[in-house]
Amino acid sequence: MPETPILNTIDSPEDLRKLAAEDLPKLGAEIRALLTEVVSQTGGHLASNLGVVDLTIALHRVFDFSKDYLCFDVGHQCYAHKLLTGRRNQFHTLRQKNGITGFPNPAESTQDRFVTGHACTSISCALGLAIASRLRGEERTAVALIGDGSIGGGLAFEALNHAGLSKENLLVILNDNEMAIAQTVGALSSYLTRIRTEPAYQKARKEMKDILNSIPLIGPQLDRLQDTLVDGIKQLVEAEHVFTDLGFAYYGPIDGHNLPLLTRELENLSKLNHPRILHVITRKGNGFDAAANDPEKFHSAAPFKILPGGETAETDLKRKSYTNVIAKSLLEACEGDDSITAITAAMPSGTGLSPIAKRFPERYIDVGISEEHAVTLAGGLAKGGRKPVVVIYSTFIQRAYDQIFHDICLQPDLGVVFALDRAGLVGADGPTHHGLNDIALLRHLPRMTLMAPRDGEELDQMLTFAINLGGPVALRYPKCNLPAKPLIKEFQPLELGRAEVLREGKDGMVLAYGAMVYPAYEAAEMAAAEGVDLTVVNLRFAKPLDQGEILKRAKKAKVIYTVEDGALAGGVGSAVAEFLADAGAFPKKLVRLGIPDRFIEHASRSELLADLHLDAAGLCQTFLAKKQS
Ligand SMILES: Cc1ncc(C[n+]2csc(CCOP(=O)(O)OP(=O)(O)O)c2C)c(N)n1
């Protein structure tokens, strides 16, 4: 680990506030070096964190967040905050099993107000806290730190709309680095670019500054003027600003790597008590060239090796993932069918859509961090004769439940495919990112088809099947590599609502869904060697279920196991139980295996599956345990 002599003296923000101002740049450099080293070992959100080190130091110098409130948007940029709020000694355990989390977590520190991980929430949270402290009669500032990607999302817009006319003590810090994960998209983003770069605007600012500076006794003292005067002068400069029109006092844009300037601006703003916004320009990856030059790659980096000279090499040369399959299969589908339109909500690389963006820019849409809009937009496209494929992480589709209900399923004949990546346990990103709810969330919606592949070959087939089905389909697949060696050789063609029987056994039946098919099959083979002989069925469809096959076999089975990597409540096992109960064929023993009714912490996907007895060894144990009972 790099030497961090100054950081080592800081056990809390109080220590930071005692530090001499001239030591702050060195502290920033130490934090950046430590962040880079730790993330190279653990993986994590490197580029965003490097970009806000100076801003985080300035915030903790000016505010006391044991009293005031700091709300992170997404929360992926909270590493420097963790280092400065008493977690320096645990920092090397970042994102590891039993270690500190990669996002804010009130269980770790009272200075983390909310558990976060999803975007666009910070202004609403901060506004709520500001209202609550006013009602308690307390003077506290609520600060929302939000990026230029997240501020374009609907929830953030709703919060701005509410906050602007309130009189609450709310400070929004807009961290503008021109990037979400990829380049920020949308009209607001173009507007921010104009503010940053437009010569006329910059000229007007400079002229105003020159005029003020030329006034003896006033100009040079500008930084120390009373709040009202500063406010008034800035209002003059930014009279036609969109944020001003929305009811916020707007300040900026200022350089987010200039610590004295940041500190001074924040000090001025800390004395105000109405809705205000500070526009700060930062550089993603600042201080580590590899990340600054390729911020998209280092947004959420896998572990990597730092080579001499600062270049990087990946340490984990991965096998092919399910996302790789979607990237290739969807590109091929687009080549063969020009009515397909691919949609992402700000995640072109994570979802595998970047090749489509390059090859078919006309048939690729990035809506920004706007999942609700992505879904309803797809409804409009489908109504207009297109075949939209919305590729989205399972956890983020939760945002768009009503749109799927109202704008897709309720409309007759809308063929929209939801390709749900990162379904199931995702690993180190933890509870905000596990994709455990999509089955329960979508299963009860009329017209919806739910399917999940057992491996890459089936995913490829299912995608084509889904695109041509002519109705709403949710196709879920996990964040992991494809199975190392195919256990199952022959491919039985897909048919709506038909399962695939993989193994026949006399002692019971296992109904497995998606990524759980391989471990269930392997576990059944292991159990067979111990004398328990089970049928294994790859369900393929959670809706419609293969009722005929299930009913036929349920009558003979001594025990039925259902296996899924999703929430048990409302999941595939529930669907099987409901069906068998309704059919009057409830078996003596029905054992539902999946994710219990609690939030699952961060650890690697394989560690979590093992802990939950959902890997082959754990499943085999369960199958054999029933032998003794
Ligand atoms: C609702 C939701 N959709 C997508 C994501 C995935 N995601 C994480 S960070 C990020 C980009 C955020 O961009 P910005 O707010 O500009 O912050 P920056 O990383 O640039 O600091 C995205 C899209 C998310 N966390 N939540």
Side-chain angles (χ1 to χ4, degrees), residues 45 47-49 52 73-74 76-77 103 117-120 146-151 175-182 184 282 284 299 345-347 368-372 393 395-396 399 433:
H45 290 96
S48 307
N49 277 291
V52 296
D73 209 277
V74 185
H76 62 311
Q77 73 292 54
F103 292 96
H118 290 203
C120 317
I146 185 165
D148 56 310
S150 301
I151 206 166
N175 172 32
D176 181 358
N177 52 28
E178 298 174 63
M179 303 279 295
I181 293 176
T184 314
T282 61
K284 259 187 151 168
H299 177 85
M347 316 201 63
I369 309 177
S370 307
E371 288 79 5
E372 303 95 310
Y393 289 8
T395 188
F396 301 137
R399 281 276 160 102
H433 282 59

Tab-separated table of all heavy atoms in Angstrom, residues 45 47-49 52 73-74 76-77 103 117-120 146-151 175-182 184 282 284 299 345-347 368-372 393 395-396 399 433, ligand 1:
chain	number	residue	atom	x	y	z
A	45	HIS	N	-15.544	1.437	-8.227
A	45	HIS	CA	-15.832	2.630	-9.049
A	45	HIS	C	-14.662	3.612	-8.970
A	45	HIS	O	-14.740	4.613	-8.245
A	45	HIS	CB	-17.121	3.282	-8.565
A	45	HIS	CG	-18.334	2.479	-8.880
A	45	HIS	ND1	-18.913	1.606	-7.985
A	45	HIS	CD2	-19.077	2.396	-10.011
A	45	HIS	CE1	-19.973	1.033	-8.549
A	45	HIS	NE2	-20.088	1.495	-9.775
A	47	ALA	N	-12.957	5.705	-11.395
A	47	ALA	CA	-12.884	7.007	-12.071
A	47	ALA	C	-13.724	8.061	-11.346
A	47	ALA	O	-13.265	9.190	-11.113
A	47	ALA	CB	-13.333	6.872	-13.521
A	48	SER	N	-14.954	7.716	-10.970
A	48	SER	CA	-15.830	8.694	-10.298
A	48	SER	C	-15.230	9.114	-8.963
A	48	SER	O	-15.305	10.286	-8.571
A	48	SER	CB	-17.216	8.100	-10.043
A	48	SER	OG	-17.743	7.592	-11.225
A	49	ASN	N	-14.639	8.162	-8.236
A	49	ASN	CA	-14.076	8.481	-6.928
A	49	ASN	C	-12.855	9.375	-7.021
A	49	ASN	O	-12.701	10.314	-6.235
A	49	ASN	CB	-13.760	7.186	-6.172
A	49	ASN	CG	-15.010	6.656	-5.501
A	49	ASN	OD1	-15.502	7.261	-4.556
A	49	ASN	ND2	-15.559	5.572	-6.020
A	52	VAL	N	-13.750	13.112	-7.353
A	52	VAL	CA	-14.365	13.940	-6.292
A	52	VAL	C	-13.539	14.014	-5.013
A	52	VAL	O	-14.044	14.425	-3.974
A	52	VAL	CB	-15.804	13.463	-5.934
A	52	VAL	CG1	-16.732	13.623	-7.116
A	52	VAL	CG2	-15.806	12.038	-5.413
A	73	ASP	N	-25.607	10.943	-4.453
A	73	ASP	CA	-26.445	10.352	-5.490
A	73	ASP	C	-25.733	9.125	-6.047
A	73	ASP	O	-24.534	9.150	-6.317
A	73	ASP	CB	-26.713	11.333	-6.633
A	73	ASP	CG	-28.052	11.024	-7.269
A	73	ASP	OD1	-28.096	10.123	-8.123
A	73	ASP	OD2	-29.047	11.639	-6.856
A	74	VAL	N	-26.436	8.037	-6.239
A	74	VAL	CA	-25.892	6.706	-6.526
A	74	VAL	C	-25.066	6.248	-5.319
A	74	VAL	O	-25.319	5.207	-4.743
A	74	VAL	CB	-25.032	6.642	-7.811
A	74	VAL	CG1	-24.616	5.205	-8.092
A	74	VAL	CG2	-25.764	7.217	-9.024
A	76	HIS	N	-21.767	5.792	-5.519
A	76	HIS	CA	-20.568	5.084	-5.993
A	76	HIS	C	-19.320	5.939	-5.838
A	76	HIS	O	-18.213	5.456	-6.015
A	76	HIS	CB	-20.772	4.726	-7.474
A	76	HIS	CG	-20.942	5.912	-8.376
A	76	HIS	ND1	-21.830	6.941	-8.109
A	76	HIS	CD2	-20.342	6.252	-9.528
A	76	HIS	CE1	-21.751	7.849	-9.061
A	76	HIS	NE2	-20.862	7.453	-9.939
A	77	GLN	N	-19.486	7.235	-5.480
A	77	GLN	CA	-18.352	8.161	-5.393
A	77	GLN	C	-18.026	8.513	-3.939
A	77	GLN	O	-17.528	9.577	-3.646
A	77	GLN	CB	-18.641	9.420	-6.231
A	77	GLN	CG	-19.661	10.423	-5.678
A	77	GLN	CD	-21.095	9.939	-5.646
A	77	GLN	OE1	-21.378	8.883	-5.082
A	77	GLN	NE2	-22.003	10.701	-6.218
A	103	PHE	N	-20.754	1.348	-1.270
A	103	PHE	CA	-21.747	2.429	-1.321
A	103	PHE	C	-21.956	2.961	0.107
A	103	PHE	O	-21.547	2.319	1.074
A	103	PHE	CB	-23.074	1.895	-1.888
A	103	PHE	CG	-22.989	1.522	-3.346
A	103	PHE	CD1	-22.760	0.213	-3.728
A	103	PHE	CD2	-23.109	2.484	-4.336
A	103	PHE	CE1	-22.655	-0.143	-5.071
A	103	PHE	CE2	-23.011	2.148	-5.682
A	103	PHE	CZ	-22.792	0.835	-6.049
A	117	GLY	N	-27.422	3.299	-4.106
A	117	GLY	CA	-26.827	2.512	-5.190
A	117	GLY	C	-27.553	2.798	-6.496
A	117	GLY	O	-27.006	2.668	-7.570
A	118	HIS	N	-28.818	3.219	-6.363
A	118	HIS	CA	-29.605	3.605	-7.537
A	118	HIS	C	-29.532	5.128	-7.689
A	118	HIS	O	-29.447	5.853	-6.693
A	118	HIS	CB	-31.060	3.161	-7.391
A	118	HIS	CG	-31.237	1.678	-7.486
A	118	HIS	ND1	-32.427	1.090	-7.831
A	118	HIS	CD2	-30.373	0.655	-7.302
A	118	HIS	CE1	-32.294	-0.223	-7.851
A	118	HIS	NE2	-31.048	-0.512	-7.522
A	119	ALA	N	-29.619	5.587	-8.934
A	119	ALA	CA	-29.372	6.999	-9.228
A	119	ALA	C	-30.602	7.893	-9.005
A	119	ALA	O	-31.733	7.409	-8.917
A	119	ALA	CB	-28.912	7.135	-10.681
A	120	CYS	N	-30.341	9.180	-8.930
A	120	CYS	CA	-31.347	10.257	-8.979
A	120	CYS	C	-32.107	10.486	-7.675
A	120	CYS	O	-33.105	11.200	-7.654
A	120	CYS	CB	-32.367	10.041	-10.108
A	120	CYS	SG	-31.670	9.514	-11.667
A	146	ILE	N	-24.712	15.363	-6.629
A	146	ILE	CA	-25.305	14.637	-7.760
A	146	ILE	C	-24.504	14.907	-9.037
A	146	ILE	O	-24.042	16.029	-9.266
A	146	ILE	CB	-26.799	15.028	-7.930
A	146	ILE	CG1	-27.471	14.183	-9.022
A	146	ILE	CG2	-26.992	16.514	-8.193
A	146	ILE	CD1	-28.998	14.242	-8.990
A	147	GLY	N	-24.353	13.873	-9.861
A	147	GLY	CA	-23.591	14.007	-11.094
A	147	GLY	C	-24.436	14.520	-12.247
A	147	GLY	O	-25.671	14.528	-12.190
A	148	ASP	N	-23.756	14.944	-13.326
A	148	ASP	CA	-24.487	15.476	-14.483
A	148	ASP	C	-25.259	14.374	-15.198
A	148	ASP	O	-26.217	14.660	-15.926
A	148	ASP	CB	-23.535	16.174	-15.458
A	148	ASP	CG	-22.404	15.277	-15.923
A	148	ASP	OD1	-21.736	14.662	-15.062
A	148	ASP	OD2	-22.178	15.173	-17.140
A	149	GLY	N	-24.886	13.097	-14.973
A	149	GLY	CA	-25.687	11.996	-15.528
A	149	GLY	C	-26.974	11.835	-14.738
A	149	GLY	O	-28.080	11.801	-15.295
A	150	SER	N	-26.851	11.787	-13.425
A	150	SER	CA	-28.015	11.491	-12.586
A	150	SER	C	-29.020	12.642	-12.540
A	150	SER	O	-30.225	12.417	-12.374
A	150	SER	CB	-27.560	11.149	-11.160
A	150	SER	OG	-26.700	10.035	-11.196
A	151	ILE	N	-28.541	13.869	-12.691
A	151	ILE	CA	-29.483	14.995	-12.586
A	151	ILE	C	-30.447	15.009	-13.781
A	151	ILE	O	-31.500	15.651	-13.739
A	151	ILE	CB	-28.739	16.351	-12.434
A	151	ILE	CG1	-29.639	17.350	-11.695
A	151	ILE	CG2	-28.289	16.903	-13.786
A	151	ILE	CD1	-28.937	18.582	-11.189
A	175	ASN	N	-21.978	17.798	-9.708
A	175	ASN	CA	-20.626	17.358	-10.063
A	175	ASN	C	-20.605	17.025	-11.553
A	175	ASN	O	-21.014	15.944	-11.962
A	175	ASN	CB	-20.261	16.131	-9.212
A	175	ASN	CG	-18.962	15.508	-9.675
A	175	ASN	OD1	-18.069	16.206	-10.154
A	175	ASN	ND2	-18.862	14.200	-9.546
A	176	ASP	N	-20.131	17.975	-12.322
A	176	ASP	CA	-20.228	17.866	-13.783
A	176	ASP	C	-18.882	17.409	-14.355
A	176	ASP	O	-17.915	18.176	-14.389
A	176	ASP	CB	-20.625	19.253	-14.324
A	176	ASP	CG	-20.793	19.270	-15.832
A	176	ASP	OD1	-20.573	18.227	-16.471
A	176	ASP	OD2	-21.143	20.346	-16.359
A	177	ASN	N	-18.850	16.141	-14.775
A	177	ASN	CA	-17.622	15.634	-15.406
A	177	ASN	C	-17.901	15.210	-16.850
A	177	ASN	O	-17.108	14.477	-17.441
A	177	ASN	CB	-17.027	14.484	-14.583
A	177	ASN	CG	-18.051	13.404	-14.295
A	177	ASN	OD1	-18.991	13.220	-15.068
A	177	ASN	ND2	-17.885	12.689	-13.199
A	178	GLU	N	-19.025	15.615	-17.360
A	178	GLU	CA	-19.453	15.346	-18.747
A	178	GLU	C	-19.697	13.874	-19.015
A	178	GLU	O	-19.866	13.458	-20.159
A	178	GLU	CB	-18.439	15.879	-19.772
A	178	GLU	CG	-18.250	17.368	-19.709
A	178	GLU	CD	-17.143	17.838	-20.628
A	178	GLU	OE1	-17.279	17.659	-21.845
A	178	GLU	OE2	-16.147	18.384	-20.117
A	179	MET	N	-19.653	13.067	-17.969
A	179	MET	CA	-19.840	11.632	-18.161
A	179	MET	C	-20.886	11.115	-17.185
A	179	MET	O	-20.954	11.572	-16.039
A	179	MET	CB	-18.554	10.843	-17.834
A	179	MET	CG	-17.320	11.215	-18.590
A	179	MET	SD	-17.247	10.467	-20.218
A	179	MET	CE	-17.122	8.725	-19.870
A	180	ALA	N	-21.696	10.150	-17.657
A	180	ALA	CA	-22.361	9.253	-16.715
A	180	ALA	C	-21.390	8.071	-16.653
A	180	ALA	O	-20.247	8.260	-16.242
A	180	ALA	CB	-23.745	8.878	-17.224
A	181	ILE	N	-21.816	6.872	-17.091
A	181	ILE	CA	-20.788	5.833	-17.263
A	181	ILE	C	-20.106	6.112	-18.606
A	181	ILE	O	-18.893	6.160	-18.714
A	181	ILE	CB	-21.419	4.430	-17.219
A	181	ILE	CG1	-21.955	4.151	-15.812
A	181	ILE	CG2	-20.391	3.370	-17.624
A	181	ILE	CD1	-22.685	2.843	-15.646
A	182	ALA	N	-20.936	6.321	-19.615
A	182	ALA	CA	-20.423	6.800	-20.901
A	182	ALA	C	-20.659	8.314	-20.949
A	182	ALA	O	-21.046	8.920	-19.953
A	182	ALA	CB	-21.167	6.089	-22.024
A	184	THR	N	-22.378	11.708	-21.082
A	184	THR	CA	-23.745	12.054	-20.697
A	184	THR	C	-24.542	12.430	-21.950
A	184	THR	O	-24.002	13.065	-22.852
A	184	THR	CB	-23.759	13.246	-19.720
A	184	THR	OG1	-22.779	13.019	-18.714
A	184	THR	CG2	-25.106	13.394	-19.050
A	282	THR	N	-15.456	18.729	-12.666
A	282	THR	CA	-14.394	17.803	-12.246
A	282	THR	C	-14.000	16.912	-13.418
A	282	THR	O	-14.679	16.866	-14.444
A	282	THR	CB	-14.833	16.914	-11.072
A	282	THR	OG1	-15.945	16.130	-11.491
A	282	THR	CG2	-15.183	17.723	-9.847
A	284	LYS	N	-13.170	13.013	-14.339
A	284	LYS	CA	-13.209	11.613	-13.893
A	284	LYS	C	-11.812	11.014	-13.987
A	284	LYS	O	-11.098	11.261	-14.962
A	284	LYS	CB	-14.167	10.815	-14.786
A	284	LYS	CG	-15.517	10.573	-14.147
A	284	LYS	CD	-16.390	9.655	-14.970
A	284	LYS	CE	-17.326	8.888	-14.073
A	284	LYS	NZ	-18.384	8.181	-14.765
A	299	HIS	N	-14.947	3.193	-14.881
A	299	HIS	CA	-16.114	3.592	-14.083
A	299	HIS	C	-16.329	2.543	-12.992
A	299	HIS	O	-16.338	2.842	-11.807
A	299	HIS	CB	-17.357	3.734	-14.955
A	299	HIS	CG	-18.573	4.063	-14.149
A	299	HIS	ND1	-18.897	5.348	-13.800
A	299	HIS	CD2	-19.511	3.268	-13.570
A	299	HIS	CE1	-19.982	5.345	-13.040
A	299	HIS	NE2	-20.376	4.091	-12.890
A	345	ALA	N	-30.459	2.439	-20.906
A	345	ALA	CA	-30.586	3.596	-20.013
A	345	ALA	C	-29.199	3.883	-19.445
A	345	ALA	O	-28.868	3.466	-18.341
A	345	ALA	CB	-31.597	3.309	-18.906
A	346	ALA	N	-28.380	4.528	-20.239
A	346	ALA	CA	-27.050	5.029	-19.835
A	346	ALA	C	-26.008	3.951	-19.591
A	346	ALA	O	-25.006	4.210	-18.925
A	346	ALA	CB	-27.165	5.922	-18.584
A	347	MET	N	-26.245	2.744	-20.113
A	347	MET	CA	-25.269	1.700	-19.848
A	347	MET	C	-24.884	0.947	-21.119
A	347	MET	O	-25.042	-0.277	-21.190
A	347	MET	CB	-25.833	0.737	-18.802
A	347	MET	CG	-26.486	1.480	-17.662
A	347	MET	SD	-26.656	0.605	-16.141
A	347	MET	CE	-25.013	0.310	-15.679
A	368	GLY	N	-30.262	7.902	-21.364
A	368	GLY	CA	-29.734	8.431	-20.111
A	368	GLY	C	-30.298	7.622	-18.941
A	368	GLY	O	-30.940	6.576	-19.142
A	369	ILE	N	-30.072	8.117	-17.718
A	369	ILE	CA	-30.506	7.331	-16.550
A	369	ILE	C	-32.011	7.542	-16.369
A	369	ILE	O	-32.456	8.261	-15.473
A	369	ILE	CB	-29.720	7.735	-15.295
A	369	ILE	CG1	-28.209	7.694	-15.596
A	369	ILE	CG2	-30.033	6.793	-14.140
A	369	ILE	CD1	-27.338	8.155	-14.448
A	370	SER	N	-32.785	6.924	-17.238
A	370	SER	CA	-34.222	7.198	-17.300
A	370	SER	C	-34.955	5.909	-17.658
A	370	SER	O	-35.504	5.762	-18.751
A	370	SER	CB	-34.497	8.256	-18.379
A	370	SER	OG	-33.702	9.381	-18.174
A	371	GLU	N	-34.946	4.981	-16.712
A	371	GLU	CA	-35.508	3.662	-16.994
A	371	GLU	C	-37.000	3.715	-17.297
A	371	GLU	O	-37.491	2.986	-18.169
A	371	GLU	CB	-35.241	2.715	-15.813
A	371	GLU	CG	-33.795	2.262	-15.665
A	371	GLU	CD	-32.867	3.284	-15.005
A	371	GLU	OE1	-33.370	4.346	-14.558
A	371	GLU	OE2	-31.650	3.031	-14.951
A	372	GLU	N	-37.707	4.590	-16.568
A	372	GLU	CA	-39.154	4.692	-16.799
A	372	GLU	C	-39.412	5.138	-18.235
A	372	GLU	O	-40.261	4.594	-18.937
A	372	GLU	CB	-39.796	5.711	-15.840
A	372	GLU	CG	-39.573	5.443	-14.369
A	372	GLU	CD	-38.387	6.222	-13.817
A	372	GLU	OE1	-37.302	6.170	-14.425
A	372	GLU	OE2	-38.533	6.870	-12.776
A	393	TYR	N	-30.420	-3.597	-16.501
A	393	TYR	CA	-30.108	-4.483	-15.374
A	393	TYR	C	-31.402	-4.793	-14.617
A	393	TYR	O	-32.241	-3.907	-14.423
A	393	TYR	CB	-29.117	-3.826	-14.419
A	393	TYR	CG	-27.705	-3.690	-14.940
A	393	TYR	CD1	-27.371	-3.992	-16.263
A	393	TYR	CD2	-26.683	-3.258	-14.101
A	393	TYR	CE1	-26.076	-3.853	-16.728
A	393	TYR	CE2	-25.381	-3.123	-14.558
A	393	TYR	CZ	-25.089	-3.416	-15.876
A	393	TYR	OH	-23.800	-3.268	-16.326
A	395	THR	N	-32.064	-5.039	-11.518
A	395	THR	CA	-32.376	-4.173	-10.364
A	395	THR	C	-32.945	-2.815	-10.802
A	395	THR	O	-33.743	-2.217	-10.086
A	395	THR	CB	-31.126	-3.967	-9.474
A	395	THR	OG1	-31.508	-3.287	-8.283
A	395	THR	CG2	-30.024	-3.178	-10.163
A	396	PHE	N	-32.543	-2.333	-11.998
A	396	PHE	CA	-33.008	-1.009	-12.427
A	396	PHE	C	-34.376	-1.056	-13.105
A	396	PHE	O	-35.035	-0.019	-13.241
A	396	PHE	CB	-31.964	-0.337	-13.325
A	396	PHE	CG	-30.629	-0.155	-12.643
A	396	PHE	CD1	-29.439	-0.423	-13.297
A	396	PHE	CD2	-30.570	0.270	-11.322
A	396	PHE	CE1	-28.215	-0.269	-12.654
A	396	PHE	CE2	-29.354	0.421	-10.668
A	396	PHE	CZ	-28.174	0.151	-11.341
A	399	ARG	N	-37.471	0.348	-11.240
A	399	ARG	CA	-37.912	1.730	-11.403
A	399	ARG	C	-39.154	1.843	-12.293
A	399	ARG	O	-39.902	2.793	-12.201
A	399	ARG	CB	-36.803	2.535	-12.106
A	399	ARG	CG	-35.670	2.970	-11.241
A	399	ARG	CD	-36.061	4.240	-10.552
A	399	ARG	NE	-35.257	4.488	-9.383
A	399	ARG	CZ	-34.252	5.341	-9.323
A	399	ARG	NH1	-33.901	6.003	-10.383
A	399	ARG	NH2	-33.625	5.535	-8.189
A	433	HIS	N	-27.814	-3.781	-5.850
A	433	HIS	CA	-27.598	-4.211	-7.231
A	433	HIS	C	-27.992	-5.663	-7.514
A	433	HIS	O	-28.073	-6.048	-8.689
A	433	HIS	CB	-26.134	-3.989	-7.623
A	433	HIS	CG	-25.819	-2.552	-7.949
A	433	HIS	ND1	-26.005	-1.539	-7.038
A	433	HIS	CD2	-25.362	-1.960	-9.082
A	433	HIS	CE1	-25.666	-0.380	-7.598
A	433	HIS	NE2	-25.278	-0.616	-8.838
B	1	LIG	C1	-31.444	3.944	-11.528
B	1	LIG	C2	-30.027	3.646	-11.933
B	1	LIG	N1	-29.738	3.410	-13.233
B	1	LIG	C3	-28.473	3.133	-13.605
B	1	LIG	C4	-27.468	3.087	-12.684
B	1	LIG	C5	-26.059	2.704	-13.092
B	1	LIG	N2	-25.121	3.804	-12.890
B	1	LIG	C6	-24.302	3.878	-11.833
B	1	LIG	S1	-23.362	5.239	-11.816
B	1	LIG	C7	-24.018	5.751	-13.271
B	1	LIG	C8	-23.548	7.027	-13.885
B	1	LIG	C9	-23.800	8.185	-12.998
B	1	LIG	O1	-23.357	9.333	-13.664
B	1	LIG	P1	-23.185	10.667	-12.870
B	1	LIG	O2	-24.371	10.925	-12.043
B	1	LIG	O3	-22.811	11.712	-13.854
B	1	LIG	O4	-21.988	10.371	-11.887
B	1	LIG	P2	-20.430	10.154	-12.215
B	1	LIG	O5	-20.198	8.688	-12.288
B	1	LIG	O6	-20.124	10.845	-13.482
B	1	LIG	O7	-19.717	10.731	-11.051
B	1	LIG	C10	-24.981	4.855	-13.748
B	1	LIG	C11	-25.720	5.003	-14.997
B	1	LIG	C12	-27.816	3.331	-11.335
B	1	LIG	N3	-26.910	3.261	-10.373
B	1	LIG	N4	-29.087	3.605	-11.003
